[in-house]
Amino acid sequence: MTAQKSTQTFDVMVLGAGIVGVSTAAHLRRLGLDVALIDRKHPGQEASAGNAGVIQHNGFLPFGLPKDPMGFLRSSFNLGGPFSYRPLTLIRMLPWIRKYIQSSYGEAAEAYCKAIMPLRTLAVQSHLELAEASNAGRFYRKGGWIHLFRGQTSFDAGDLERYYARIYGVDYREMDGEAVKALEPGLIVSGIRAVHWTESRSVSNPAAVVDAFWRGYIRDGGQYFRADAKKTIRKRGGWSLEGERGPIFARHAVVCLGAWSMDVLKKFGERYPLAVKRGYHMHYRPLSGASISRPIVDIDNGFALTPTDFGIRLTTGVELAGRDAPPNPQIVKLVKRRAEEIIPLGRALQDEPWLGSRPCVPDSLPIIGPSPTIKGLWLNFAHGHDGFTLGPVSGRVIAELLTGKTPCADVSGVSPVRFQE
């Protein structure tokens, strides 16, 4: 007869071990709580591994979709551009897309800026603090990142972003092709305009950063369990889950599951308009003499190029498709063709593109704070394109809120209560 395993009890269980979940668990542990971090995979293996590795100090506006109907439809068939859509997904998501576009311009864009800046202002500092505590500093680099504009029209469209930079005191430098070439000799930039965001940071290996944060959390006495978060049960006085090493119970649960958050929350009657923006990446070994020293973004075509420990990472723009839909390798092929107009990428270093999902709600803001309806349930997800940037600071905020401390940033603009009818 097999002996029944005894229940392990914690103050908090953190569901999801991407950079948001790991950072949340690390901050909770640093405040003295007993923490169980839960995931079905090794930490940092989903969207936290596949991004461009940038910690943005800019980013004042939502990642907007075209508001002109004809421009929107044209982009639907432009697989190599900033946006691509599958026809059936487009039809199904039209109400969500309409709300997203309405939230991306005018007064709504200004509201976004006011809500996100308290977090973004602390993003770099919060990263570096966790990096120092976990010996991850070797992955970080200064130098900012460069936004390239292939024409005057797209450069002029970025005026509002630069206006907010001046308002919030964020440094940037406008450059012509010659100035870009002086900074990044490996680029082909004839006729290109650019903006160098000097105060942002980047990393050479996003997955390794999350792994280092996780190892630091374990060294501090945190616990990690392989388990399926979808099996979480609400019990009197807390939350229960069956893990590989037996049952787990905690008084509080923090949902940090990114694109999978609603798989858990809908069981408890929580409703948030979460969708996913999918993205792909591939690594390349550049041809002789071609290199970059910091991330480069082609604004017109939506892709990013990042120097990593594995070669140059080409990260695509947004694909609106079902989270679990089959991948579309044509997107990477077409984006690579556009990318090679500015740098000869050379040989691919992966057999297949990596594919991940960025969780997003229509106002493009994360959802951070206590559930408005369920005691002991905390939410930290829907970071969209900012998961890697904002993971450490949003984790700190949740830890401070949960322990009754004054949070380091005003998060009233990203509270879950904004979705209450």
Side-chain angles (χ1 to χ4, degrees), residues 6-344:
S6 59
T7 299
Q8 299 182 69
T9 301
F10 298 87
D11 296 312
V12 190
M13 64 170 66
V14 177
L15 305 176
I19 191 165
V20 175
V22 170
S23 298
T24 301
H27 279 291
L28 287 164
R29 182 62 197 147
R30 293 173 77 177
L31 291 178
L33 277 68
D34 291 326
V35 184
L37 178 63
I38 312 292
D39 206 308
R40 59 186 179 178
K41 295 183 178 181
H42 186 80
Q45 294 303 296
E46 295 289 352
S48 296
N51 52 78
V54 178
I55 304 107
Q56 292 190 61
H57 194 49
N58 58 302
F60 308 98
L61 299 173
F63 194 90
L65 301 178
K67 60 180 177 179
D68 168 51
M70 291 307 298
F72 186 88
L73 288 173
R74 282 195 300 270
S75 70
S76 303
F77 303 100
N78 183 14
L79 295 183
F83 313 101
S84 58
Y85 312 88
R86 298 194 181 195
L88 291 178
T89 304
L90 188 64
I91 295 170
R92 178 176 57 84
M93 289 186 66
L94 273 178
W96 188 95
I97 292 169
R98 189 178 298 112
K99 290 181 181 178
Y100 186 97
I101 293 173
Q102 291 170 351
S103 300
S104 298
Y105 299 94
E107 292 182 1
E110 183 175 349
Y112 169 89
C113 185
K114 290 180 178 178
I116 203 68
M117 282 312 295
L119 292 166
R120 201 176 292 287
T121 298
L122 295 173
V124 171
Q125 172 190 331
S126 299
H127 257 273
L128 297 179
E129 287 174 353
L130 277 186
E132 182 178 3
S134 59
N135 299 315
R138 65 190 183 278
F139 300 112
Y140 287 76
R141 60 196 167 208
K142 298 180 180 179
W145 63 332
I146 297 175
H147 289 188
L148 299 181
F149 302 86
R150 301 225 183 182
Q152 190 65 38
T153 300
S154 59
F155 181 79
D156 291 343
D159 280 345
L160 187 57
E161 176 91 356
R162 298 189 287 276
Y163 166 77
Y164 282 124
R166 296 190 294 273
I167 293 294
Y168 285 96
V170 175
D171 185 58
Y172 68 92
R173 177 187 171 203
E174 296 183 9
M175 299 189 295
D176 58 16
E178 289 185 6
V180 175
K181 192 74 173 176
L183 204 58
E184 295 290 349
L187 295 180
I188 305 165
V189 288
S190 177
I192 281 178
R193 300 289 301 275
V195 173
H196 182 197
W197 297 99
T198 60
E199 296 177 341
S200 297
R201 300 286 183 102
S202 63
V203 301
S204 62
N205 190 334
V209 167
V210 181
D211 185 71
F213 287 0
W214 170 68
R215 294 180 187 278
Y217 158 77
I218 296 296
R219 286 195 298 271
D220 285 344
Q223 295 287 313
Y224 174 71
F225 299 89
R226 289 282 183 96
D228 185 354
K230 288 189 291 186
K231 297 180 180 179
T232 304
I233 300 170
R234 187 183 180 191
K235 284 193 171 182
R236 185 185 180 96
W239 306 86
S240 180
L241 178 64
E242 188 69 31
E244 285 184 344
R245 295 177 296 181
I248 304 159
F249 177 84
R251 292 186 295 110
H252 299 272
V254 188
V255 176
C256 305
L257 290 163
W260 289 265
S261 294
M262 291 311 302
D263 291 1
V264 170
L265 291 174
K266 64 185 178 183
K267 290 173 42 179
F268 306 118
E270 296 276 295
R271 294 287 181 264
Y272 299 97
L274 189 71
V276 299
K277 298 176 181 178
R278 305 206 312 178
Y280 300 78
H281 82 229
M282 283 281 283
H283 292 105
Y284 298 90
R285 178 171 294 158
L287 299 181
S288 178
S291 65
I292 52 176
S293 58
R294 74 205 76 220
I296 309 293
V297 180
D298 184 317
I299 297 297
D300 294 72
N301 293 294
F303 65 79
L305 297 162
T306 304
T308 73
D309 294 342
F310 313 105
I312 293 182
R313 174 177 290 186
L314 172 64
T315 308
T316 71
V318 168
E319 180 197 27
L320 285 183
R323 184 191 67 192
D324 302 319
N328 185 348
Q330 283 298 114
I331 291 177
V332 176
K333 290 180 181 178
L334 290 170
V335 171
K336 179 176 184 285
R337 192 178 305 163
R338 304 254 170 100
E340 289 197 311
E341 294 170 2
I342 61 173
I343 187 169

